[in-house]
């Protein structure tokens, strides 16, 4: 299940919007993700991420400290989220892409559902995070960075 977000690369803004998969977002140059953030993520795409992760919209938006009323209103108007809101959403999309990349690098990704696995992992309290579930840390960029590092440790075997 590969979903995508609309993105604008700063150097190719005249080329318009293009679709990027989660893994493309993860592998994109930071300047491309910054362009996506500044352009704003379509609110409907933010809702789609939580659908892909099988996380209720309420729980997902709450984890990112996003107002459900605002996101739903913007989605119905085909509007984009603010840069601050978009940054948190791109961070979650990047986590899905990170997991997809990890699985590709570790072997055969056939049949592996990265969003479903990540959904379960995000909800589980982890000793490496002081007993907190990763989902409770997604509302800040520092928290998302910590979740990303913890996810990387799984691949390296530093954390089991």
């Amino acid at each position: 299940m590969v979903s995508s977000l609309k993105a604008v690369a700063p150097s190719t803004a005249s080329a318009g919007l293009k679709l990027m998969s989660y893994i493309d977002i993860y592998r994109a140059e930071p300047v491309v993700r910054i362009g996506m953030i500044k352009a704003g993520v379509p609110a409907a795409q933010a809702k789609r991420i939580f659908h892909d992760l099988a996380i209720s919209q309420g729980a997902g938006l709450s984890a990112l400290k996003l107002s459900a009323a605002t996101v739903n209103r913007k989605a119905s108007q085909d509007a984009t989220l603010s840069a601050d809101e978009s940054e948190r959403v791109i961070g979650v999309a990047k986590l899905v892409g990170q997991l997809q990349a990890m699985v590709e690098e570790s072997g055969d990704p056939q049949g592996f559902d990265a969003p479903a696995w990540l959904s379960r992992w995000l909800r589980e309290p982890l000793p490496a995070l002081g007993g907190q579930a990763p989902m409770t840390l997604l509302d800040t960029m520092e928290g998302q960075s910590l979740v990303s590092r913890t996810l990387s440790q799984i691949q390296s075997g530093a954390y089991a």
Side-chain angles (χ1 to χ4, degrees):
M1 174 185 310
V2 175
S3 189
S4 57
L5 295 174
K6 292 183 180 178
V8 175
S11 62
T12 60
S14 62
L17 299 175
K18 68 177 186 172
L19 295 177
M20 293 183 75
S21 69
Y22 292 131
I23 202 164
D24 290 338
I25 291 168
Y26 171 69
R27 290 181 174 156
E29 293 293 324
V31 69
V32 172
R33 285 192 300 271
I34 291 167
M36 294 170 65
I37 290 163
K38 288 183 177 183
V41 171
Q45 292 296 333
K47 292 173 64 163
R48 180 70 186 172
I49 290 172
F50 298 116
H51 177 269
D52 289 351
L53 289 171
I55 293 174
S56 75
Q57 179 180 307
L61 294 176
S62 176
L64 295 182
K65 300 288 190 261
L66 299 176
S67 162
T70 299
V71 173
N72 287 329
R73 178 180 45 79
K74 286 183 176 185
S76 71
Q77 298 171 344
D78 288 327
T80 60
L81 300 174
S82 70
D84 181 54
E85 295 163 333
S86 294
E87 186 169 36
R88 286 176 268 157
V89 170
I90 292 294
V92 172
K94 189 176 161 192
L95 285 172
V96 177
Q98 177 183 352
L99 178 59
Q100 289 173 332
M102 286 170 50
V103 171
E104 277 185 11
E105 293 164 7
S106 297
D108 183 12
Q110 289 293 355
F112 182 77
D113 187 346
W117 186 92
L118 189 63
S119 174
R120 289 187 301 274
W121 184 79
L122 286 172
R123 298 174 207 211
E124 292 294 320
L126 299 176
L129 298 175
Q132 295 182 80
M135 195 159 169
T136 65
L137 302 172
L138 297 179
D139 60 332
T140 66
M141 298 318 303
E142 192 66 27
Q144 286 187 7
S145 178
L146 179 58
V147 169
S148 175
R149 282 193 308 271
T150 304
L151 190 58
S152 293
Q153 290 172 340
I154 292 171
Q155 183 180 28
S156 70
Y159 174 74

